[in-house]
Amino acid sequence: TVGRADLKGDTAFPGPLRETDMQVDLADVAHAPLRADHLNARLSGSGEGLEVRLDLREDSTKTLLKAHGMIEKDFGRALLDSTHGTLLGHELRLEAPLDLRMAPDATSWEEAGLRLGAARLTTRGRMTPTQTDITADVRDLNPAMLHPVFPHLPSARINAGLELQGSPQNPDG
């Protein structure tokens, strides 16, 4: 559900994206168990593509997030270069940008890193029509930090790694 929604701006899509300037403001957004008091997204065109800014606030869970990224005008690259704030009362920050490259023959990203409190998530990968190579690591994650949203989760310390290699139809993991 959405309590209030405002949309304003201009775009020339699929024309020159540099003429795009759009803003979406949402209030009292809920999709159980997630909710937000306020969500603001802004798309601004440039010669390179679309700049994306996102702000999210949810007071009861002590969440205040800001994110910034870019989508190239040919949609061949999406970059999340900044994420910071607090999520469920824990510091959240992007340690290494997520730089997603998309082409007809491959999708790939170099190592990206995200920190939430003491926990750290890293990932890198490449997928082609014939080959998959993806790794992800989680270090020092305590599921109890998610209690404001998922109260049934236990307190524990999770360290895990995932490696997927092989064909997309039959990867080894």
Side-chain angles (χ1 to χ4, degrees), residues 59-110:
D59 295 332
S60 70
T61 61
K62 300 177 184 157
T63 297
L64 181 61
L65 298 175
K66 294 185 177 290
H68 177 268
M70 176 68 93
I71 301 170
E72 283 189 352
K73 61 184 171 186
D74 65 358
F75 299 99
R77 179 181 183 209
L79 172 67
L80 177 63
D81 60 8
S82 172
T83 299
H84 62 278
T86 56
L87 177 63
L88 307 175
H90 302 278
E91 180 186 6
L92 176 82
R93 68 178 153 56
L94 190 65
E95 291 188 323
L98 176 59
D99 191 355
L100 187 62
R101 307 282 178 141
M102 298 161 285
D105 63 339
T107 298
S108 64
W109 60 99
E110 298 299 319

Side-chain angles (χ1 to χ4, degrees), residues 3-145:
R4 188 192 90 242
D6 294 320
L7 172 65
K8 60 184 174 184
D10 298 298
T11 186
F13 188 78
L17 293 178
R18 68 181 170 275
E19 297 174 18
T20 297
D21 186 15
M22 297 183 68
Q23 185 167 319
V24 177
D25 271 307
L26 304 176
D28 301 319
V29 179
H31 184 71
L34 305 176
R35 58 170 280 107
D37 294 323
H38 184 252
L39 176 66
N40 176 275
R42 183 166 196 149
L43 297 173
S44 302
S46 72
E48 302 300 314
L50 289 173
E51 179 182 19
V52 181
R53 293 188 183 277
L54 180 67
D55 295 307
L56 181 135
R57 180 178 50 83
E58 211 301 294
D59 295 332
S60 70
T61 61
K62 300 177 184 157
T63 297
L64 181 61
L65 298 175
K66 294 185 177 290
H68 177 268
M70 176 68 93
I71 301 170
E72 283 189 352
K73 61 184 171 186
D74 65 358
F75 299 99
R77 179 181 183 209
L79 172 67
L80 177 63
D81 60 8
S82 172
T83 299
H84 62 278
T86 56
L87 177 63
L88 307 175
H90 302 278
E91 180 186 6
L92 176 82
R93 68 178 153 56
L94 190 65
E95 291 188 323
L98 176 59
D99 191 355
L100 187 62
R101 307 282 178 141
M102 298 161 285
D105 63 339
T107 298
S108 64
W109 60 99
E110 298 299 319
E111 185 165 305
L114 183 70
R115 184 166 295 275
L116 175 61
R120 185 163 193 262
L121 168 68
T122 58
T123 182
R124 66 156 189 78
R126 179 174 172 79
M127 296 179 293
T128 69
T130 60
Q131 187 67 28
T132 298
D133 183 11
I134 299 172
T135 63
D137 288 298
V138 176
R139 297 288 173 244
D140 299 320
L141 175 66
N142 183 350
M145 69 187 339

